[in-house]
Amino acid sequence: MGRKFFVGGNWKCNGTTEEVKKIVTTLNEAKVPGEDVVEVVVSPPFVFLPFVKSLLRPDFHVSAQNCWVRKGGAYTGEVSAEMLVNLGIPWVIIGHSERRQLLNESNEFVGDKVAYALQQGLKVIACIGETLEQREAGTTTAVVAEQTKAIAAKISNWDNVVLAYEPVWAIGTGKVATPAQAQEVHADLRKWVHDNVSAEVAASVRIIYGGSVNGGNCKELAAQPDVDGFLVGGASLKAEFVDIINAATVKKN
Ligand SMILES: O=C(CO)COP(=O)(O)O
C-alpha cells in the first residue's frame, strides 16, 4: 500500500495580496507531521503562484488550478503547462467540476489536458464527481467511471496522478458526503482502476475526497480505508486547514 496522505487546498478565485500573506503565514507557522507522513499542496489563483511559492515553507508545495490543453500560443487568457514548469510549479488541478459545469469542459477535454500536463512533467490532481441529479438517479458509479475512463484512455503512467473525488452536491454547500458515502465511491473507483488499468495502479493511486471538508469532519473521513486525503476549498482559506492536514495522523493509528 504505502499511499502517502495528500491534502490539497484549492483557493479557487479568492484572495488579495494581504489575505494571501496571512494564509501563508498561518501555514508556515503550523505544526504538522513531516513530508514522510503527509503531502501538502496549496493552489492559489495563477496571479499569486510565484508569490506564494516564494513565501511558502519548503515542505509544502504549490499547484495551479488549471492549464491549457496543449502547447501555448495564440490562446488569449490561457496559461500553458510549459509556463507552469518554467516557473517551477509542480502541480496542477485539472477537471474541477466548476470548470466542467461553468466552462463546459468535457470528459474528453479533461483527459487531453491531464495527458498534456503529465507529458510536460507536471503532477496532476484530476477531479471527478457526480451531480445531485446523477446521484439521485443512481448513476454515481457510472458517471465517475466514465470520467475516469476518459483520463485513463489518454495516459499510460499514473505515478504523477492524484484522483480527487468531489461530488458536486457537496462542494461549497456545507453538505459533506458521509464517511460511508465517500468510502463507497472511493472503493468503487479503486476497483474500476484495478479492472481497467492495473492492480499496481489501483494499490498505489491516491484517491482524495473533496466537498465541504472541514476541521470537524476530516478525521472521520480520513479514517476510511480508501480515502487517501482531501481537496479542500473554503476551509483551505482558514486556520482550520492545519487541522485537516493533521488528520493524516489518523492513518498511522
Ligand atoms: O471544490 C472543492 C475543492 O476543490 C471543495 O470545495 P469546498 O471545500 O468549499 O466544498
Side-chain angles (χ1 to χ4, degrees):
M1 294 283 268
R3 296 190 297 267
K4 195 197 293 183
F5 205 75
F6 183 102
V7 179
N10 177 7
W11 296 359
K12 307 192 179 183
C13 189
N14 289 295
T16 61
T17 308
E18 282 316 306
E19 286 163 352
V20 165
K21 268 192 218 162
K22 203 171 148 218
I23 301 167
V24 173
T25 303
T26 303
L27 295 178
N28 286 352
E29 289 169 356
K31 241 180 93 61
V32 299
E35 274 193 281
D36 51 326
V37 174
V38 58
E39 189 164 5
V40 180
V41 174
V42 295
S43 188
F46 283 127
V47 289
F48 295 124
L49 272 171
F51 180 56
V52 171
K53 185 175 156 61
S54 71
L55 294 180
L56 194 64
R57 56 196 287 172
D59 54 335
F60 288 7
H61 303 282
V62 288
S63 172
Q65 295 175 14
N66 177 43
C67 65
W68 180 231
V69 65
R70 56 181 78 91
K71 191 171 159 50
Y75 306 107
T76 303
E78 290 294 331
V79 171
S80 69
E82 302 89 85
M83 290 172 193
L84 298 176
V85 171
N86 179 247
L87 287 173
I89 309 299
W91 287 92
V92 63
I93 296 172
I94 292 180
H96 193 279
S97 65
E98 285 150 15
R99 298 195 63 84
R100 290 178 186 264
Q101 297 213 304
L102 302 172
L103 297 158
N104 293 322
E105 293 197 2
S106 66
N107 286 352
E108 214 192 2
F109 189 65
V110 168
D112 284 337
K113 271 197 197 188
V114 171
Y116 189 77
L118 289 173
Q119 271 169 30
Q120 299 314 303
L122 292 170
K123 295 186 263 193
V124 173
I125 302 164
C127 303
I128 55 173
E130 83 288 1
T131 63
L132 185 60
E133 293 71 27
Q134 289 165 333
R135 172 161 284 263
E136 286 175 346
T139 57
T140 299
T141 305
V143 168
V144 296
E146 203 56 37
Q147 292 168 331
T148 311
K149 186 177 165 194
I151 295 166
K154 302 280 169 62
I155 69 172
S156 51
N157 187 333
W158 285 73
D159 289 353
N160 289 332
V161 179
V162 168
L163 212 46
Y165 168 59
E166 301 204 300
V168 177
W169 49 269
I171 294 179
T173 57
K175 206 175 160 212
V176 66
T178 64
Q181 282 174 323
Q183 171 57 26
E184 186 183 15
V185 179
H186 285 224
D188 277 355
L189 277 167
R190 208 177 292 289
K191 183 175 180 327
W192 189 92
V193 174
H194 180 277
D195 295 348
N196 296 278
V197 182
S198 72
E200 291 72 32
V201 173
S204 63
V205 72
R206 287 171 294 177
I207 305 177
I208 64 175
Y209 168 81
S212 297
V213 176
N214 61 35
N217 59 31
C218 57
K219 281 199 176 149
E220 242 195 308
L221 285 160
Q224 301 302 311
D226 287 294
V227 174
D228 303 317
F230 301 115
L231 188 56
V232 185
S236 72
L237 299 162
K238 302 180 191 160
E240 72 185 289
F241 188 59
V242 175
D243 300 328
I244 300 171
I245 297 169
N246 279 307
T249 54
V250 168
K251 289 294 191 200
K252 288 198 302 182
N253 302 329

